[in-house]
Amino acid sequence: GVKVHLYRELMPTPALSYAVRELGCDTGVVITASHNPAAYNGFKAYDPTGCQIGTEIADRVQQEILGTDLFDGVCCADFDKAVAEGMIEYIPASFVEQYLDRVYTQSLEPQVCAKAGLKLVYTPLNGAGNKAVRHMFKRLGIEDVKVVPEQEHPDGNFPTCPYPNPESPAALELGLRLCEETGADILLATDPDCDRVATAVLHEGKYRILSGNELGILMLDYICRTRQKLGKMPEHPVAIRSLVSSAMTDKVAESYGVELRKVLTGFKYVGEVIAELEAERRGDSFIFAFEESCGYLSGGYVRDKDAVDASLLVAEMASAAKLEGKTLADWLEELYQKHGVWRSDVDNFIFEGASGMQAMANIMERLRNHPPAELAGDEVASVLDYQTGREISGGQSREAKLPFTNMIELRLKNGNTILVRPSGTEPKIKVYYTIIAQSHDQANEETQAYRKAGKSLIQG
């Protein structure tokens, strides 16, 4: 008894968020392993706003699952009969074009792409991005596009890339090899459900992989700078980042007079901010959002990160840099010279199985009750506990206005920060390091010391 709109072929996950909103649906479901191994196969569920469902609804769904017999408790319809009766309706090609048109409107200076003659290698990592992302490159006028042949077509087994996470250098190996063979200017890789993007740029004869934070910093600066140049900056612009993403974006945003809002990890929280702005009739104020895990969005047409949008912007940005005789790495160094060298790193500590979940809970409880007084020889000035909403500083505990989540933030006296949180989707604890330095050498040295201390912090 539920009317279903079904895409005819594999589509990027953000196209699901778009369809839920545009078709007025009550919910949306996409089957995906996302950027994880095939064994992680599951589904993402969306609410009527196009955001992924929150914890409260997810808990209710889980109770329904547990209370439903897998063999005789599931209601099924005959597929062909449901299609004939109009209960299953295929989404037309015109609607797909409509989504792609909305993505293309995020381009700021599309003409730079045809002028620059960018040489690009792309890999969809055997996933959903192949058609949509290549459509954008063609529309931008980028003609020299090579696709990694082994990873071009959909394959849920990910035969060349068992862990198809674009954050992982191993996932980019075949793409980098093709770059070296062709002398490409840039590599773009979208994860299998095409909501994240990673890139590597040819710089001084070598390919440099940009981190999710570095790419987010560059994209925010490019969007702000270009909007100002074109007179397209809204009156009260707003950008959004997750709490664990680089705080250097705060400095970039400040330099352009952009309000930078910080939210919990998960693009549903970004979607909530966009919805708030629209409710205030300020929808056009939103200009960019990102997470350090390679998720980006520059328009309110969806409520999720969109690698089709991000691929378009990165290609345009790289073209603009090439016209200046520079690379994205050059632009990044210019930003470091202006705002200081901000280094962001993350370590993942895996805890498999039921015993692993308990081990993670024990570690968080230990940090909560007995936080360190120093790390790598640097004094911890304050501890923020996002689960209890308390800040401990100078031996005193006080209430702090913090969003609720299981995360602990250690703020060091020298301005550096360390965040510790269990992943919401994988059996791991993630430790995020932010170092502010005067030089890359200093940043590297401090990062190594902090990561060593972080390991001791988690493993004891």
Side-chain angles (χ1 to χ4, degrees), residues 18-62:
Y18 180 78
V20 168
R21 287 168 52 77
E22 292 297 315
L23 296 173
C25 297
D26 297 296
T27 188
V29 171
V30 57
I31 310 297
T32 175
S34 187
H35 56 286
N36 299 302
Y40 280 55
N41 195 40
F43 68 86
K44 293 179 180 177
Y46 290 74
D47 68 17
T49 70
C51 288
Q52 289 188 44
I53 60 173
T55 304
E56 183 182 342
I57 299 175
D59 288 343
R60 288 166 58 192
V61 170
Q62 181 69 5

Side-chain angles (χ1 to χ4, degrees), residues 23-238:
L23 296 173
C25 297
D26 297 296
T27 188
V29 171
V30 57
I31 310 297
T32 175
S34 187
H35 56 286
N36 299 302
Y40 280 55
N41 195 40
F43 68 86
K44 293 179 180 177
Y46 290 74
D47 68 17
T49 70
C51 288
Q52 289 188 44
I53 60 173
T55 304
E56 183 182 342
I57 299 175
D59 288 343
R60 288 166 58 192
V61 170
Q62 181 69 5
Q63 290 305 311
E64 290 289 339
I65 291 171
L66 294 174
T68 303
D69 188 281
L70 298 180
F71 293 99
D72 58 22
V74 179
C75 298
C76 294
D78 178 80
F79 185 86
D80 293 334
K81 183 180 178 184
V83 171
E85 293 176 350
M87 290 304 293
I88 296 176
E89 182 179 314
Y90 283 110
I91 295 172
S94 59
F95 186 88
V96 176
E97 289 298 322
Q98 182 182 317
Y99 160 70
L100 295 172
D101 286 346
R102 292 294 296 276
V103 174
Y104 185 72
T105 61
Q106 303 310 309
S107 176
L108 296 171
E109 286 193 299
Q111 68 275 11
V112 301
C113 297
K115 293 178 183 177
L118 193 72
K119 297 178 67 175
L120 188 151
V121 165
Y122 170 63
T123 173
L125 295 177
N126 296 117
N130 190 34
K131 288 189 176 182
V133 173
R134 291 171 73 178
H135 172 90
M136 285 301 142
F137 295 153
K138 184 176 181 180
R139 201 158 171 178
L140 287 168
I142 301 174
E143 297 180 354
D144 195 342
V145 178
K146 302 286 192 302
V147 180
V148 177
E150 301 94 331
Q151 298 173 336
E152 179 177 2
H153 300 295
D155 188 335
N157 294 312
F158 311 127
T160 65
C161 186
Y163 191 65
N165 186 342
E167 296 175 80
S168 169
L172 307 181
E173 282 184 4
L174 289 180
L176 289 170
R177 189 184 306 168
L178 185 57
C179 281
E180 289 169 354
E181 292 172 1
T182 61
D185 298 308
I186 189 169
L187 166 68
L188 277 168
T190 52
D191 73 332
D193 67 339
C194 196
D195 60 5
R196 302 171 189 245
V197 67
T199 191
V201 297
L202 181 61
H203 181 69
E204 297 179 350
K206 295 181 180 179
Y207 286 95
R208 174 176 170 178
I209 298 173
L210 299 177
S211 71
N213 274 317
E214 289 174 331
L215 196 53
I217 292 163
L218 282 164
M219 291 172 77
L220 176 61
D221 180 74
Y222 176 73
I223 288 169
C224 292
R225 175 159 40 94
T226 307
R227 276 181 171 271
Q228 281 195 350
K229 181 180 73 173
L230 299 175
K232 293 183 177 180
M233 185 70 90
E235 189 174 351
H236 300 291
V238 175

Side-chain angles (χ1 to χ4, degrees), residues 235-410:
E235 189 174 351
H236 300 291
V238 175
I240 309 165
R241 72 166 173 90
S242 65
L243 282 164
V244 298
S245 299
S246 175
M248 182 175 169
T249 48
D250 301 13
K251 293 293 184 182
V252 173
E254 183 184 353
S255 70
Y256 288 103
V258 173
E259 178 188 354
L260 198 291
R261 298 194 187 181
K262 288 164 272 194
V263 297
L264 296 175
T265 299
F267 252 72
K268 57 178 173 282
Y269 300 109
V270 171
E272 288 174 1
V273 175
I274 297 173
E276 288 171 12
L277 291 171
E278 288 185 350
E280 297 168 3
R281 300 183 183 277
R282 293 180 54 204
D284 291 342
S285 295
F286 168 67
I287 60 170
F288 183 62
F290 92 103
E291 291 181 337
E292 51 78 36
S293 53
C294 300
Y296 312 94
L297 179 68
S298 69
Y301 61 98
V302 295
R303 295 291 189 270
D304 207 350
K305 48 193 177 288
D306 189 348
V308 186
D309 168 35
S311 296
L312 173 145
L313 284 170
V314 174
E316 181 183 312
M317 186 166 64
S319 296
K322 187 174 182 179
L323 285 176
E324 291 184 6
K326 298 177 181 177
T327 70
L328 295 183
D330 290 319
W331 277 7
L332 187 61
E333 290 304 317
E334 289 172 3
L335 289 172
Y336 286 146
Q337 289 172 20
K338 182 177 181 180
H339 300 291
V341 177
W342 292 64
R343 176 73 179 268
S344 299
D345 281 278
V346 59
D347 282 330
N348 297 285
F349 298 90
I350 309 294
F351 297 87
E352 296 283 8
S355 61
M357 294 297 288
Q358 186 58 52
M360 289 195 294
N362 292 342
I363 289 168
M364 295 304 293
E365 193 65 20
R366 171 169 55 80
L367 290 176
R368 197 159 269 125
N369 295 327
H370 305 286
E374 62 86 27
L375 272 170
D378 294 330
E379 181 183 344
V380 176
S382 63
V383 179
L384 274 63
D385 187 342
Y386 287 77
Q387 185 160 282
T388 63
R390 308 292 296 178
E391 178 180 4
I392 303 169
S393 179
Q396 301 295 315
S397 176
R398 66 176 184 86
E399 187 175 340
K401 290 185 178 181
L402 302 170
F404 177 80
T405 189
N406 187 11
M407 182 169 74
I408 293 171
E409 179 178 352
L410 306 175

